[in-house]
């Protein structure tokens, strides 16, 4: 037992790594000994439906064939859609019917649709529009180690271990948050790029890129694709890999220039500075477009982690609650994207923490000038991009009331006001 405690970290590392490996083995169980790449283009023909020609591909496997991926190749002028109808054998051995809907685009040479089912019948249809040609349809099932999933399992395992077996680590909640927020955030950035995923991300990227460029803004085709949000829709790892290669290839030559009236930054654009700084670094290092795009997101993530680190550290109580809220999927996802919401959330949170130190835990009848000024400043910065939250600054006017009350009464009133402000601001 003593030896186990002495080497618990090594044992935990081995267990977590083995768990991640086992998950990958299980995820690829259908491919072991049954890998294939089957061209079914000879099953394709052109038919007419409601006066419109369409491609049809019909494939049957009476005994059932496990299909991991359907792949499509062709020459397309615009975005084209296709439908897939299947008869699948479920886990109970019953045959069920399923439908899939996907699209292709002129930008990528190949598209794919994940099926991951044992199929007895498959029918694919696509309209035969002018200047569009479907040249190849294939099915595949092969082992594919997903590094994103692998590292995700590693991080989950490490977090569980630290939570239950590293008491010293969990006592330093702010460091616990920083390590895992950065790790999960960087995994999100790596897995979800180079394309827009969050709300209005193309607008936030555009403004960050302009700030990073200064007076003269040079746009590449890849940058314009992001700004106009015309990238093809990707839903498989293979498509994202092709998209990354395409964006890197078209992210070097300047195709449009614009001149800004001023290279200054307006108050409502201050939230973009962390992203713009890292975009500037990536551009000047002549990195591929996908790397520059990821660096901008990392700037936002790093700012979010630093501000929330101090919010958790300076909090007099409820540190775990703060860390829990800060690591919820939506805040962490936004912090790993182009957006000002993470600045709004983190700076207002830090301002509320500084305010609560004065309202809850002030042991003297005098103000802590640094805390009061800091709370006003943090709340103000957080409200610059979303003026709707400016009334939160009025919380500072309540502080004299707390100084006049006894400690027990002031805590109950402060708790009420905080809950009221939190829920009313959502």
């Amino acid at each position: 037992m003593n030896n186990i405690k002495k080497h618990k970290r090594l044992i935990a590392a081995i267990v977590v790594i083995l768990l991640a490996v086992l998950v990958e083995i299980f995820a690829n169980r259908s491919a072991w000994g049954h890998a294939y790449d089957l061209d079914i283009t000879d099953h394709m023909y052109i038919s007419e439906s409601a006066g419109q020609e369409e491609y049809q591909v019909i494939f049957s496997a009476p005994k059932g064939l496990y299909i991991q991926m359907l792949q499509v190749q062709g020459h397309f002028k615009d975005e084209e859609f296709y439908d897939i109808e299947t008869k699948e054998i479920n886990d109970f051995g019953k045959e069920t019917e399923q439908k899939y809907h996907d699209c292709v685009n002129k930008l990528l040479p190949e598209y794919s649709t994940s099926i991951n089912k044992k199929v007895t019948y498959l029918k694919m249809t696509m309209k035969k529009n002018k200047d569009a040609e479907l040249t190849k349809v294939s099915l595949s099932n092969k082992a594919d180690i997903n590094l994103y999933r692998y590292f995700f399992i590693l991080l989950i395992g490490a977090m569980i271990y630290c939570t239950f077996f590293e008491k010293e680590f969990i006592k330093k909640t702010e460091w616990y948050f920083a390590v895992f927020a950065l790790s999960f955030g960087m995994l999100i950035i790596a897995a979800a790029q180079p394309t827009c995923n969050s709300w209005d991300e193309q607008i936030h990227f555009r403004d960050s890129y302009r700030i990073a460029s200064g007076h003269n803004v040079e746009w590449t085709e890849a940058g314009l694709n992001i700004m106009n949000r015309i990238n093809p829709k990707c839903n498989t790892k293979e498509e994202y890999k092709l998209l990354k290669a395409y964006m890197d290839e078209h992210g070097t030559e300047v195709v449009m220039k614009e001149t800004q009236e001023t290279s200054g930054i307006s108050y409502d654009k201050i939230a973009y500075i962390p992203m713009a700084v890292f975009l500037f670094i990536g551009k000047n290092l002549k990195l591929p477009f996908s790397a520059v795009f990821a660096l901008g997101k990392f700037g936002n993530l790093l700012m979010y982690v630093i501000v929330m680190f101090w919010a958790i550290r300076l909090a007099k109580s409820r540190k775990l609650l703060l860390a829990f809220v800060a690591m919820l999927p939506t805040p962490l996802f936004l912090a790993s994207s182009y957006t000002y919401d993470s600045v709004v959330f983190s700076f207002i949170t830090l301002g509320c923490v500084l305010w609560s130190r004065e309202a809850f835990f002030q042991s003297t009848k005098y103000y802590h000038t640094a805390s009061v000024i800091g709370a006003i400043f943090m709340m103000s910065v957080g409200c610059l991009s979303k003026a709707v939250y400016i009334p939160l600054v009025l919380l500072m006017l309540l502080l004299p009331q707390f100084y006049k009350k006894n400690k027990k009464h002031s805590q109950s009133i402060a708790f009420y006001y905080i809950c009221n402000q939190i829920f009313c601001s959502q």
Side-chain angles (χ1 to χ4, degrees):
M1 184 61 68
N2 289 333
N3 287 332
I4 292 176
K5 290 183 179 179
K6 184 178 179 180
H7 300 94
K8 65 176 183 179
R9 294 176 182 173
L10 177 61
I11 295 172
I14 294 173
V15 170
V16 171
I17 291 172
L18 285 177
L19 177 62
V21 170
L22 288 174
V23 169
E24 284 303 305
I25 292 174
F26 180 78
N28 289 281
R29 64 192 183 282
S30 63
W32 303 123
H34 301 90
Y36 67 85
D37 194 349
L38 179 63
D39 188 343
I40 59 171
T41 309
D42 56 349
H43 292 260
M44 179 174 65
Y45 61 93
I46 299 174
S47 65
E48 187 172 324
S49 176
Q52 168 74 52
E53 287 189 327
E54 64 179 17
Y55 292 103
Q56 285 196 3
V57 180
I58 298 178
F59 176 78
S60 298
K63 294 184 179 180
L65 178 69
Y66 191 93
I67 300 176
Q68 183 188 65
M69 199 86 63
L70 180 141
Q71 295 166 318
V72 175
Q73 295 182 29
H75 307 288
F76 310 102
K77 184 178 180 180
D78 296 303
E79 193 172 59
E80 305 282 348
F81 295 90
Y82 61 90
D83 295 289
I84 303 172
E85 299 176 18
T86 63
K87 292 182 180 179
E88 305 170 357
I89 300 176
N90 62 24
D91 294 335
F92 300 99
K94 301 294 184 180
E95 192 173 69
T96 60
E97 295 183 358
Q98 296 292 335
K99 293 183 178 181
Y100 303 85
H101 183 74
D102 213 338
C103 64
V104 296
N105 191 286
K106 64 180 180 180
L107 299 182
L108 303 185
E110 182 178 297
Y111 286 83
S112 54
T113 302
S114 293
I115 297 179
N116 290 315
K117 296 291 182 181
K118 192 173 184 179
V119 174
T120 58
Y121 172 84
L122 180 145
K123 178 182 178 182
M124 172 189 163
T125 57
M126 176 190 288
K127 290 183 179 180
K128 188 179 185 302
N129 295 323
K130 185 179 180 181
D131 299 326
E133 181 184 10
L134 180 63
T135 59
K136 183 179 179 180
V137 180
S138 60
L139 308 174
S140 67
N141 180 37
K142 51 190 176 183
D144 182 22
I145 303 301
N146 190 326
L147 292 179
Y148 302 123
R149 179 173 55 210
Y150 180 80
F151 284 110
F152 178 76
I153 298 300
L154 287 182
L155 286 174
I156 289 293
M159 187 167 66
I160 292 173
Y161 165 75
C162 290
T163 301
F164 292 101
F165 300 102
E166 289 289 345
K167 294 182 180 180
E168 291 300 319
F169 189 74
I170 199 63
K171 286 179 181 178
K172 300 178 180 178
T173 311
E174 64 273 18
W175 290 105
Y176 180 84
F177 159 77
V179 169
F180 288 106
L182 269 177
S183 300
F184 280 109
M186 288 190 291
L187 187 61
I188 292 173
I189 292 172
Q193 95 120 350
T195 187
C196 296
N197 296 287
S198 72
W199 302 272
D200 299 324
E201 191 168 8
Q202 73 279 9
I203 298 173
H204 303 309
F205 168 76
R206 178 199 65 193
D207 293 341
S208 301
Y209 192 87
R210 284 173 175 168
I211 294 172
S213 301
H215 188 64
N216 298 308
V217 186
E218 297 180 340
W219 290 98
T220 62
E221 183 180 337
L224 288 176
N225 285 355
I226 293 291
M227 185 177 71
N228 297 319
R229 203 157 189 160
I230 59 174
N231 274 349
K233 298 178 178 65
C234 299
N235 50 28
T236 64
K237 189 163 66 75
E238 289 74 14
E239 289 178 346
Y240 276 111
K241 184 178 179 180
L242 291 171
L243 176 61
K244 183 178 179 180
Y246 174 87
M247 297 295 277
D248 288 344
E249 181 182 350
H250 294 80
T252 55
E253 184 179 351
V254 177
V255 296
M256 189 185 85
K257 295 182 180 181
E258 64 174 324
T259 302
Q260 300 190 93
E261 294 181 1
T262 175
S263 56
I265 304 173
S266 62
Y267 72 92
D268 59 331
K269 300 291 193 297
I270 289 177
Y272 297 124
I273 291 177
M275 294 172 280
V277 168
F278 279 80
L279 280 172
F280 177 82
I281 294 172
K283 289 174 60 180
N284 282 274
L285 290 176
K286 306 296 183 183
L287 297 176
F289 179 84
S290 59
V292 175
F293 189 70
L295 269 179
K297 291 183 176 184
F298 178 75
N300 198 31
L301 174 66
L302 184 62
M303 179 280 309
Y304 174 78
V305 170
I306 290 174
V307 176
M308 289 304 299
F309 171 91
W310 283 104
I312 297 168
R313 183 163 190 161
L314 293 176
K316 290 290 188 177
S317 65
R318 305 295 189 270
K319 291 177 180 284
L320 280 176
L321 176 62
L322 269 177
F324 172 78
V325 172
M327 284 192 65
L328 285 172
T330 298
L332 195 56
F333 169 72
L334 287 173
S336 305
S337 309
Y338 284 95
T339 178
Y340 55 58
D341 292 303
S342 54
V343 171
V344 174
F345 176 75
S346 59
F347 275 83
I348 288 180
T349 300
L350 179 53
C352 287
V353 166
L354 295 174
W355 176 84
S356 69
R357 285 166 63 95
E358 291 295 302
F360 280 131
F361 305 101
Q362 177 61 275
S363 58
T364 66
K365 61 181 180 179
Y366 299 107
Y367 295 101
H368 285 133
T369 306
S371 292
V372 174
I373 294 175
I376 296 173
F377 175 77
M378 293 300 171
M379 288 184 181
S380 299
V381 171
C383 295
L384 289 177
S385 297
K386 275 196 173 181
V388 69
Y389 293 125
I390 286 178
L392 284 172
V393 180
L394 297 178
L395 280 172
M396 307 308 300
L397 300 179
L398 299 175
L399 287 179
Q401 300 299 320
F402 292 114
Y403 290 123
K404 294 177 182 179
K405 303 290 182 180
N406 61 59
K407 185 176 181 181
K408 181 177 179 181
H409 190 48
S410 68
Q411 284 184 355
S412 62
I413 295 177
F415 180 75
Y416 166 78
Y417 275 109
I418 279 189
C419 290
N420 184 56
Q421 290 296 330
I422 289 175
F423 288 112
C424 289
S425 65
Q426 295 302 315

